[in-house]
Amino acid sequence: MYHRLLRLLPLCALVSVAGNTMAAGKESAAAIAAKRFLASESRHLGKRVEIEVQDSGAQWPECNRPTAFLPANGRLQWGRTTVGIRCVNAPHTRYLQAQIRAFGHYWVTTEAVPAGTELTSGLLKRVEGEISALPRGTLRQRAQIVGQIARRPLRAESALQHYQLKARPLVSRRQPVTLVASGQGFRIAREGRALDEGSKGERVRVRLPNRRVISGLVTGPGTISVTQTTAP
């Protein structure tokens, strides 16, 4: 009899584990509603989205016909988020925590790129991966990268960020430039020499023939703009 009981113990343990696994794997109605809502609202985040909801709803009283929503009408982003749940049979709003991961394509360098190199299509390749794990400010569109200049050396197979690149300079240091001063009812153009390198929209200094130094914004190749309220 004793030996028969010993043989039955492993079977009992298996049944217990299986029963616990089934219980643990059963999602609450609130968690299912939250997942469906997040899946519908997260389509813009990437080519594919993975959603994990922390199902604390299993510990709540029964929730009939749960409705999910984003608190304060917030725009859904990837990462950790909170989902509100309303139940028709409960007066209080409940909340669940969720984690959203997004996947899609982005561009990386095909090889190591020295500082000062202009990024061309041949130096880039498209890869698929988790875009929600990329650093903030990563450039995901090729048009944002091609034609830009590397500010610093770039490693092969690296995603690119805004601070690593700069626009092609339209003005070089010591280059003869046209300084355009404009205001209400007037426009004056003078020749000078740039003291700084600059891309479009960047501020550079210009030395005039009389040795006066004026700063302005680069508006085009060899052109610096200065806005004044009155004529000089």
Side-chain angles (χ1 to χ4, degrees), residues 168-185:
R168 184 198 309 235
L170 297 178
V171 171
S172 302
R173 190 178 180 187
R174 300 190 181 91
Q175 174 188 341
V177 296
T178 300
L179 184 69
V180 179
S182 60
Q184 186 174 3

Side-chain angles (χ1 to χ4, degrees), residues 42 62 64 100 106 135 166 185 216:
S42 61
E62 185 179 0
N64 295 335
I100 300 176
Y106 57 98
K166 63 179 180 179

